[in-house]
Amino acid sequence: MADLHMTDFYRDTARILVQLYNHFPNTIILYADDISGPNTPDEFGLPSARFQSCFSTMLWLAETGLIRYATTIRQEALDQTTLSRKALVILFSPVTLAVAASDRHFSTDTNTDTALPDVSLTHIEWLRTALNSQSSRLIEEAVQTILAHPLLN
């Protein structure tokens, strides 16, 4: 059985990092609904579980030191949000593509799924490729590689 909450976490993490990278060095208001989709509160006005998970992912990324923010806006957004120095270094660094060797998005030979590309992708390029592919497995691998980076340990 797939852990859908983890699939959502990886997708949210990738979207958050790419969005902040695209606005760097400017700080932005990072809205949870820009990442997870519109919030559909329940009959009591509480945010949906999906929306709450996205907001929690944003806070968790701040706790791990990948993003910085000044304050929360209710439980909807983070104000004055930007990537941390640590995140920038990780996103600029090249990816070891052995993890993604079997993915055809990185294949240079159309007859085999195991050919590695001749170019070295950075983590930000891998995140963008993963998001564009809409492959949950590729997004998961890209985010896991970032979270396992030695700078975070």
Side-chain angles (χ1 to χ4, degrees):
M1 175 184 237
D3 292 325
L4 294 179
H5 68 286
M6 291 307 296
T7 301
D8 289 340
F9 168 78
Y10 292 128
R11 189 173 307 278
D12 291 348
T13 297
R15 287 179 177 162
I16 290 165
L17 293 175
V18 168
Q19 183 172 347
L20 291 174
Y21 179 86
N22 289 342
H23 287 93
F24 191 82
N26 298 326
T27 59
I28 63 168
I29 299 174
L30 185 63
Y31 292 98
D33 61 359
D34 286 346
I35 305 301
S36 68
N39 180 24
T40 52
D42 65 13
E43 63 272 8
F44 303 108
L46 297 174
S48 68
R50 176 73 187 93
F51 186 84
Q52 290 176 359
S53 294
C54 180
F55 187 74
S56 294
T57 297
M58 293 165 36
L59 294 174
W60 186 84
L61 289 171
E63 290 172 11
T64 62
L66 285 170
I67 68 174
R68 295 180 299 145
Y69 70 97
T71 187
T72 60
I73 301 173
R74 295 181 295 280
Q75 290 187 328
E76 298 176 10
L78 301 181
D79 193 18
Q80 302 297 306
T81 312
T82 190
L83 293 172
S84 67
R85 179 188 175 283
K86 190 184 305 186
L88 272 178
V89 170
I90 292 170
L91 293 175
F92 288 149
S93 68
V95 175
T96 303
L97 292 176
V99 174
S102 65
D103 195 288
R104 70 179 77 139
H105 296 285
F106 296 102
S107 179
T108 57
D109 182 357
T110 57
N111 297 327
T112 178
D113 286 341
T114 59
L116 286 173
D118 294 329
V119 296
S120 178
L121 291 175
T122 62
H123 283 93
I124 189 64
E125 291 168 330
W126 193 12
L127 282 176
R128 286 177 176 154
T129 300
L131 285 171
N132 287 337
S133 76
Q134 298 184 12
S135 165
S136 294
R137 185 182 59 78
L138 188 56
I139 293 168
E140 178 179 337
E141 288 176 356
V143 172
Q144 284 179 351
T145 302
I146 288 171
L147 296 179
H149 197 280
L151 279 178
L152 290 178
N153 300 321

